[in-house]
Amino acid sequence: MQFIKTLLRPLVIVLATTLMAAPAYAQYCTAGATSTLFEKISRVRYNQIDNSSTATASYENFTTVSTAAYLGATSSITVNISNGFSSDQTLVWIDFNQNGNFSDPGELVFTSGQSAGPHVGAITIPATALQGNTRMRVRMHDSDPLSVPNSTPCGNSDYGQVEDYTVNIQVCVPVTYATQPASSSITCGGNATFAVTATGSAPVYGWQFRVNASSPWQDLVNGGIYTGATTNTLTLNNLLASYNGYQYRALLSGVCAALDYSQPATLTVNPIVPVVNPASATICNGTIQALSITNSVSAPVTAVFAASAGLPLAIPDNTPTGTTTSVAVSGIPAGVVVTNVAIKFNMTHTWVGDIA
């Protein structure tokens, strides 16, 4: 295929000369390719930039497409190529000192290996970069010497394409939780959501679950009953009673902050209680009695049993380790499901370890 590209080169030079009238973009040097009949850039992803392009222009000005980038932070970049060759290469420059060129030390921020793509790498913004909007240039070229390569930010390569974007360089602010997830109580078959909000630069979200308060945490992915597993709001759909007691927590990270976990939130799935109306009826032989059935929601009830047997209970000072005392709680209605028990201590002890 490389041989075919070489044979066609004189023809495509004539066509490209006719079709391409490269204007001057701001104060930056012009760049492009003699031919885009073969490989070209098809998609660029970097921070908030996710731009797909199908045009065959040798240069595309996407400076209206922008992203924030943060001083001292490292972020990934991915460049996809359509009709790629094994000798294709991607190079990326950012004008860190905003002087209108890409020739200063450190402004070549990514050089890929040679492959048909995608080309994946990482870009680190130096702490010395000027804050504000500046230009990022992405060049994809055929690095084969027979194809007249160009690994500089200016001028044309034989094959490939050049695209420009805008990068807004900012001070990186560590992410922190502004609100924590709240526990949720729903009816069997219903939906539930858990949400957090965060402050700081470019927060990244994830979620974990565990089946009860003593089980290990497990990572969540979208699928089944779960959506929003990579956003600040996790949604659970068509919940069964088996999810009662599950706990959920958010995972928060950022470009300049380590992973942080939210407080856990508990899911309560209340059973549906069938109600038959009438509850009973007296009918004559040969007659018909219509019955209707509806569902009512059993809402959780909090009850205080302050007068239970064994209360108040005296706890001696400096109780030896291993001493066990039990209290009988009476008055709990039949058929209820106890989801939580809390005991209030009113005690004055000389040794704080007694409370344990």
Side-chain angles (χ1 to χ4, degrees), residues 309-316 319-329 343 345 349 354:
L311 294 178
L313 176 67
I315 303 178
T319 303
T321 301
T323 301
T324 302
T325 305
S326 61
V327 174
V329 179
I343 301 175
F345 288 89
H349 273 214
D354 281 342

Side-chain angles (χ1 to χ4, degrees), residues 76-87:
S76 64
I77 185 169
T78 301
V79 179
N80 293 81
I81 302 170
S82 60
N83 302 318
F85 285 78
S86 60
S87 53

Side-chain angles (χ1 to χ4, degrees), residues 14 46 55 88 96 116 175 196 204 220 236 274 277 285 305 345:
V14 175
Y46 172 60
D88 288 343
F96 289 129
V175 292
V196 296
V204 177
L220 267 177
L236 296 72
N277 187 41
N285 187 22
F305 298 91
F345 288 89

Side-chain angles (χ1 to χ4, degrees), residues 27-28 95-104 107 130 134:
Q27 56 184 320
Y28 291 92
D95 183 13
F96 289 129
N97 60 2
Q98 302 177 25
N99 67 344
N101 64 65
F102 303 104
S103 59
D104 299 292
E107 292 188 337
L130 292 182
T134 190

Side-chain angles (χ1 to χ4, degrees), residues 268-348:
T268 301
V269 182
N270 300 301
I272 296 176
V273 179
V275 177
V276 179
N277 187 41
S280 61
T282 301
I283 61 175
C284 296
N285 187 22
T287 61
I288 297 175
Q289 172 65 54
L291 300 176
S292 64
I293 183 169
T294 58
N295 293 319
S296 66
V297 179
S298 60
V301 176
T302 300
V304 178
F305 298 91
S308 300
L311 294 178
L313 176 67
I315 303 178
D317 196 9
N318 196 20
T319 303
T321 301
T323 301
T324 302
T325 305
S326 61
V327 174
V329 179
S330 59
I332 300 177
V336 302
V337 176
V338 179
T339 59
N340 187 55
V341 175
I343 301 175
K344 181 179 179 180
F345 288 89
N346 184 9
M347 53 192 294
T348 303

